[in-house]
Amino acid sequence: MIAAIDPGNCKTKFVGIQQRPFVFPSAIGVNDLARNLKRDPGPYDFEWEYEGKCGFAGTLALEESEYAESRKDDSKAHFDAKLRTLIALHRFGAGTDFDIVVGQPIDTHTDTEKTAIKRMYVGRHDLTVNGQRKIITINRCEVSPEGAAAGLLVAPNTGMIRVIDIGSGSVNYATIISRRFNNRGSWTYNEGMESKRDLQPAAFARQIASKAIARKWSAEDMVYLVGGGAAELLPYLLEYFRHAQLIDDPQTANVRAFLMIARRVYG
Ligand SMILES: Nc1ncnc2c1ncn2[C@@H]1O[C@H](COP(=O)(O)OP(=O)(O)OP(=O)(O)O)[C@@H](O)[C@H]1O
Ligand SMILES: [Mg+2]
């Protein structure tokens, strides 16, 4: 089965062919399995066992774990991101064999990191979630740039668009010219909606816009916003980019674009 996963620093997004996207908290707690009081499991309550470790994930980690964290990192070549992805495949994927596309911030979308991510995923994974054991096999894996991929949902055949992907731990800036990624106009700013002690949306929007203006983005550019912070910051970003607009369902835009890419790559 073909599937796309965006294992974000705050929310994991999953979509498969002919499925609606699933979004669940990326929080993971390790070693939390002992519970005297058990609740009826919610759709995103996960107890997991993997590679000799065990713990909670999703809403269960947020509400019941003593040690829940959602690791916010510049790269997604790490155990937490792998576990988020595998839990998504286990719970929402059809079958046990997959060809996947996953996301990585633009600045760390390098050959070294991409190779590390592919190596991390391709192969067999023995994962138990909520008592159900599955051997998940990932046959093929591609790594797609966050933000830039989402631009492909709206980019015209000719002309330039800009994308700002406002996540919890990072902001990705992307430029797409005639449906091709433009490296020079694309980068990552490693702060997001949850990096500030006390988020002030207008001030954060000004900071985001200033970094783009410094790289010669113009007030007239076609700027599309995606990510969980997009809707909240749109009114403030309009002061700097008068054509700024949301891509539909901005939080799942990246993962829906990854699926589009997966269909193209895997046929
Ligand atoms: N309805 C909402 N109103 C305001 N902010 C929201 C809303 N929904 C989500 N957010 C913000 O969106 C953020 C999560 O966005 P998103 O899912 O794009 O992040 P992520 O992809 O997990 O992070 P990253 O891209 O840094 O890995 C949260 O930190 C939260 O601040
Ligand atoms: Mg994101």
Side-chain angles (χ1 to χ4, degrees):
M1 181 211 177
I2 291 174
I5 309 96
D6 178 9
N9 288 316
C10 170
K11 295 281 170 63
T12 298
K13 282 75 77 175
F14 168 93
V15 66
I17 304 277
Q18 288 178 343
Q19 281 180 298
R20 67 171 176 84
F22 292 89
V23 179
F24 63 87
S26 293
I28 286 175
V30 179
N31 292 338
D32 274 311
L33 291 187
R35 279 189 291 166
N36 294 338
L37 303 179
K38 290 208 178 182
R39 60 191 201 181
D40 289 337
Y44 305 125
D45 274 2
F46 308 123
E47 276 188 5
W48 57 269
E49 291 169 50
Y50 181 61
E51 291 186 339
K53 296 182 187 161
C54 61
F56 297 164
T59 42
L60 186 61
L62 285 181
E63 288 159 32
E64 291 284 23
S65 180
E66 301 275 5
Y67 303 101
E69 269 308 330
S70 118
R71 178 170 167 177
K72 295 189 180 38
D73 211 325
D74 303 355
S75 171
K76 281 163 180 143
H78 54 66
F79 177 85
D80 283 28
K82 175 163 81 162
L83 187 58
R84 298 166 193 160
T85 296
L86 291 175
I87 289 174
L89 291 171
H90 185 296
R91 301 310 289 168
F92 310 118
T96 54
D97 278 42
F98 298 95
D99 292 326
I100 63 172
V101 170
V102 296
Q104 172 79 343
I106 289 171
D107 273 4
T108 48
H109 190 256
T110 60
D111 285 343
T112 317
E113 290 294 313
K114 284 195 288 183
T115 304
I117 290 172
K118 288 181 192 184
R119 218 177 266 151
M120 172 172 98
Y121 283 122
V122 171
R124 281 160 48 92
H125 306 273
D126 184 343
L127 171 68
T128 299
V129 179
N130 298 349
Q132 187 188 0
R133 183 174 171 207
K134 267 193 194 176
I135 310 285
I136 293 169
T137 304
I138 298 178
N139 293 311
R140 291 183 287 182
C141 171
E142 289 300 329
V143 184
S144 194
E146 296 169 12
L152 296 178
L153 296 173
V154 294
N157 285 331
T158 50
M160 180 181 72
I161 64 158
R162 313 279 202 181
V163 182
I164 309 180
D165 168 18
I166 304 163
S168 61
S170 60
V171 174
N172 288 289
Y173 297 78
T175 298
I176 298 177
I177 302 171
S178 303
R179 292 192 66 77
R180 295 160 72 103
F181 296 146
N182 175 262
N183 188 63
R184 201 174 59 181
S186 307
W187 71 96
T188 306
Y189 167 42
N190 279 316
E191 292 213 17
M193 297 291 283
E194 291 179 16
S195 309
K196 312 287 186 186
R197 209 171 346 164
D198 167 29
L199 181 84
Q200 297 186 13
F204 191 36
R206 177 178 164 275
Q207 201 176 24
I208 290 172
S210 303
K211 290 183 189 300
I213 292 163
R215 299 237 192 158
K216 309 293 177 219
W217 288 29
S218 130
E220 298 300 328
D221 287 350
M222 290 303 298
V223 176
Y224 290 91
L225 305 182
V226 302
E232 191 173 352
L233 297 197
L234 172 65
Y236 308 103
L237 285 168
L238 276 167
E239 284 179 35
Y240 307 92
F241 303 111
R242 77 188 74 206
H243 305 298
Q245 57 187 291
L246 301 180
I247 291 184
D248 242 25
D249 190 8
Q251 195 169 32
T252 65
N254 277 313
V255 81
R256 287 182 288 118
F258 298 165
L259 186 69
M260 188 177 87
I261 292 165
R263 298 176 86 127
R264 197 178 307 153
V265 178
Y266 302 131

